[in-house]
Amino acid sequence: LDVLCLDEVAISNLQNCVILGPLIQALCEAGVTVIATANKTPGKLYADGLDRARHLAPLVDAIDAHCDVYHYHSAVDYRKRLPVDDTKASVFRWSCPAQSSESLSFSDAWWGALAGTAASRVESVPVGYGRKLPVLLSQCQACVRFRFEDLCTFPPTALGAADYSVLCKQFSTLVIVDVPRLRPETHDAARRWTLFVDSCYENHARLIMSTVAKDPDDLLDLSGVDAGEGQSLQE
């Protein structure tokens, strides 16, 4: 191993804090180049965490001893500047009321394009920890369709990062219907949604969705919610 890249480092529990310092120390002493990004400086990681003063110091010392820290400040979200191909069908339908004819026609049109005329069926597929989840599955078994509440709310099912990772590894396209605006009063569902979107990104799965929100900023607004261990849910 010559180079290790860690993207968006966030320490959310004691175990991560205890492990990361000695890990970086050992890697750097072995000649491995460590490159990492984070939304906070090293000294501000794990804010308000358990035994923070005791366990964060080795991590900060390891970074100070072996790494150069650069602060890049920008108010520009360059992802929003990417060109949009207007000739392609949109995978996101904004300002679409839940359970409306517009929502149904959008999801049905995409499902028809993905699954074809062959009959779809509800089938139980594996998720994390040996469990099964009933899903609407295409005949080709590469596409699935969910209502938002079946994917991100509890009850009916308490899904987490491991479950979403398994789903996104199994299926190339996931159609999610009627995603609501996510606000502090629904922060549990919002946490599950962000874990799901992360899994789609990490596994290169295509996400198609309809939502009542008018744009990405309107979809998720949780800046005042604490996710615990010093990490904001908005991050």
Side-chain angles (χ1 to χ4, degrees):
L1 179 65
D2 297 315
V3 179
L4 176 66
C5 297
L6 302 172
D7 188 28
E8 296 192 7
V9 174
I11 301 177
S12 57
N13 56 58
L14 178 61
Q15 292 83 355
N16 289 345
C17 189
V18 170
I19 291 171
L20 194 54
L23 175 62
I24 290 179
Q25 181 78 24
L27 288 170
C28 292
E29 289 179 350
V32 177
T33 298
V34 177
I35 301 170
T37 66
N39 290 328
K40 299 178 180 179
T41 60
K44 293 184 178 180
L45 291 169
Y46 194 44
D48 301 321
L50 181 65
D51 290 334
R52 180 179 186 272
R54 176 182 178 186
H55 296 296
L56 184 65
L59 171 58
V60 175
D61 290 344
I63 293 173
D64 289 342
H66 298 284
C67 304
D68 296 319
V69 179
Y70 298 95
H71 178 63
Y72 294 99
H73 178 73
S74 175
V76 178
D77 186 342
Y78 288 95
R79 295 168 298 182
K80 295 181 179 179
R81 294 192 172 187
L82 294 173
V84 177
D85 188 348
D86 294 329
T87 64
K88 294 183 178 181
S90 173
V91 294
F92 299 154
R93 176 60 59 87
W94 304 102
S95 301
C96 185
Q99 301 180 351
S100 65
S101 58
E102 182 183 0
S103 175
L104 182 62
S105 63
F106 172 78
S107 55
D108 282 350
W110 263 113
W111 192 248
L114 294 167
T117 57
S120 303
R121 63 189 187 279
V122 176
E123 185 170 318
S124 293
V125 300
V127 289
Y129 309 108
R131 298 180 298 167
K132 297 277 189 175
L133 180 70
V135 301
L136 183 62
L137 184 67
S138 66
Q139 191 71 22
C140 67
Q141 299 189 4
C143 308
V144 286
R145 179 171 170 175
F146 294 94
R147 298 181 306 161
F148 174 85
E149 54 264 38
D150 294 332
L151 187 69
C152 295
T153 63
F154 173 71
T157 308
L159 298 180
D163 304 298
Y164 299 136
S165 179
V166 172
L167 285 173
C168 292
K169 283 181 170 67
Q170 286 184 82
F171 305 110
S172 61
T173 302
L174 300 98
V175 179
I176 316 300
V177 182
D178 295 338
V179 180
R181 290 183 177 92
L182 298 169
R183 298 295 184 264
E185 59 270 20
T186 57
H187 67 271
D188 183 70
R191 182 196 294 272
R192 298 180 197 278
W193 174 254
T194 55
L195 291 172
F196 169 69
V197 172
D198 281 346
S199 291
C200 289
Y201 175 77
E202 291 168 1
N203 292 284
H204 307 287
R206 179 166 59 167
L207 171 62
I208 298 170
M209 73 168 189
S210 64
T211 175
V212 68
K214 63 182 181 181
D215 56 33
D217 290 332
D218 186 39
L219 176 61
L220 185 70
D221 184 4
L222 302 166
S223 53
V225 179
D226 184 8
E229 304 292 2
Q231 184 180 9
S232 77
L233 193 55
Q234 185 70 16
E235 290 180 31

